[in-house]
Amino acid sequence: MCMRQTSMRSTAVTSRNGNMRPWDKRGNAFTLVELLVVVSIIALLISILLPSLRKAREQAKSIKCLGHMRGMGQAAMVFSSDHDGRIQLVAAEGNVETADPGRQRFAYGAGDELLAWPVAFAQVIATGFRDNWNWGVRATDFEDAEQKQEYINKSMDLYICPGDKVQLASSFFPRHEGMYGFGLPTDGDPANPSPPVDKMAYWGRLSYGVNEDVAGGDGPEYDFWPSCWRAAPSKNDGGWEACEGGRKYGPSTGCFQSSSGSRLEGQLGKIFDPGKVGLFFETGPESKEQAKLYPTQFANLVNSATYSGAPAKSGPYLGNAQQVHPWRIPTNRHPDGQINVSFADGHAETVRAREYTHNTTVKRKLPSRYAPRVRVSPFNPHGVE
């Protein structure tokens, strides 16, 4: 009798309505220790996976950026096929007069204003780009341009790298500056007229820069200073020395005499081994704070020109240019020191920093060598044609 009662108690686990009694649920619940263990495991997995996910997201931005650079290279090739093998000139007004006195070789807007290269190449792939103000605004510096963003065209995503945190830069030329001539002939955008003043240029959505050695020009405005140079092996210390360019200067003493080193005025056919010469590069500041702190240090131009104070052993490659112009090329836009480059033969490629050198200007290490190597100078780096 007792045994039957015990058995009946043990099987009475549900109430009349079929619900479990509270004391019967305890066996299925997590204890506090078990819950903390699960939470700890989840947190550990997140900490392990998060860096990989972040890196994958940044790598996806780099891949999209590379696609944009391919598109820019293709647009430049189409433009050159319509302009006798030349890409758009990127130069001061005095150099424009020398390179194209009849205003026939390159693209111009209202008042015969030289079109900024982003506008000239945009005409190949989009409509509505007739004048520079169809792309950007006239401004004297970053902060001035930032205040006028309502007038900046937001449609041209091709010129934006997703990894660029600033996405506002200047094409630099055309530029209004006394030493270069008038530069900007009109008041610009009728909807936002801006009479030209000293240091004024066009600013817009832009993450890239152009090779000034290729797209730039030489002329009387540059006679006081060598406007370009060609690297030649030094006969003394095994380094490089600059063969000065410009119309006033011939090759320096000791340099090979095969070329003067003048800028090419956009002539792609004069580039030595174009598959190794960068035409477009990622450029611009790393942050808005940096852009405001150094408003005159950034230019969306890359060149191999030397100036007073340049490293003693400079050369024709991208790493050399970065050491000479440390502010122009971003170092943290993509993982592992990557930047994307569109080459003068039309292909685009991701290059990675492989060697670093302490730069005394910015007081930190900057890339001094990329793999594969990218040449900025369009001339034979060994001085032999």
Side-chain angles (χ1 to χ4, degrees), residues 144-185:
D144 186 18
E146 193 174 32
Q147 294 173 4
K148 302 176 181 177
Q149 290 206 56
E150 62 180 296
Y151 296 101
I152 293 177
N153 192 317
K154 306 297 192 299
S155 66
M156 187 52 68
D157 289 336
L158 181 69
Y159 295 139
I160 291 296
C161 174
D164 183 5
K165 296 180 176 62
V166 181
Q167 300 189 357
L168 177 63
S170 174
S171 59
F172 199 80
F173 293 121
R175 184 174 178 82
H176 198 86
E177 194 162 0
M179 63 184 288
Y180 298 140
F182 62 88
L184 304 179

Side-chain angles (χ1 to χ4, degrees), residues 8-259:
M8 290 176 63
R9 290 193 197 100
S10 64
T11 57
V13 295
T14 60
S15 62
R16 292 179 181 178
N17 59 10
N19 295 328
M20 294 291 295
R21 293 173 180 172
W23 55 80
D24 293 316
K25 294 181 181 179
R26 293 173 188 165
N28 296 327
F30 286 107
T31 66
L32 179 60
V33 172
E34 290 172 331
L35 186 60
L36 291 174
V37 169
V38 172
V39 170
S40 299
I41 292 173
I42 293 174
L44 180 61
L45 290 174
I46 291 175
S47 66
I48 293 173
L49 294 175
L50 195 58
S52 298
L53 292 173
R54 186 182 298 113
K55 187 172 182 178
R57 184 171 63 250
E58 294 302 319
Q59 191 62 38
K61 292 180 181 179
S62 178
I63 292 172
K64 188 173 182 179
C65 175
L66 181 62
H68 287 180
M69 298 211 79
R70 288 196 182 101
M72 290 167 54
Q74 292 168 0
M77 295 302 111
V78 173
F79 182 95
S80 70
S81 67
D82 293 335
H83 290 81
D84 196 27
R86 298 173 186 261
I87 62 170
Q88 179 68 351
L89 185 69
V90 179
E93 182 58 28
N95 304 143
V96 177
E97 289 293 331
T98 301
D100 191 14
R103 293 297 207 268
Q104 298 294 321
R105 290 176 173 171
F106 305 104
Y108 300 89
D112 279 340
E113 181 176 280
L114 180 72
L115 291 185
W117 66 263
V119 183
F121 299 144
Q123 291 182 335
V124 174
I125 56 177
T127 58
F129 288 86
R130 296 184 302 274
D131 296 293
N132 287 317
W133 51 83
N134 297 141
W135 165 70
V137 295
R138 288 183 173 187
T140 55
D141 57 30
F142 178 85
E143 292 187 88
D144 186 18
E146 193 174 32
Q147 294 173 4
K148 302 176 181 177
Q149 290 206 56
E150 62 180 296
Y151 296 101
I152 293 177
N153 192 317
K154 306 297 192 299
S155 66
M156 187 52 68
D157 289 336
L158 181 69
Y159 295 139
I160 291 296
C161 174
D164 183 5
K165 296 180 176 62
V166 181
Q167 300 189 357
L168 177 63
S170 174
S171 59
F172 199 80
F173 293 121
R175 184 174 178 82
H176 198 86
E177 194 162 0
M179 63 184 288
Y180 298 140
F182 62 88
L184 304 179
T186 70
D187 288 344
D189 187 359
N192 178 37
S194 302
V197 297
D198 199 40
K199 311 293 185 185
M200 180 174 277
Y202 283 93
W203 294 68
R205 297 179 72 234
L206 186 64
S207 303
Y208 308 108
V210 69
N211 186 333
E212 193 180 9
D213 286 15
V214 174
D218 293 321
E221 303 298 337
Y222 274 116
D223 279 351
F224 69 95
W225 192 255
S227 59
C228 186
W229 72 296
R230 174 177 62 88
S234 172
K235 299 178 180 178
N236 300 321
D237 58 6
W240 300 91
E241 58 185 0
C243 295
E244 298 171 345
R247 299 200 180 276
K248 182 178 178 181
Y249 295 88
S252 300
T253 303
C255 289
F256 290 92
Q257 302 295 311
S258 57
S259 178

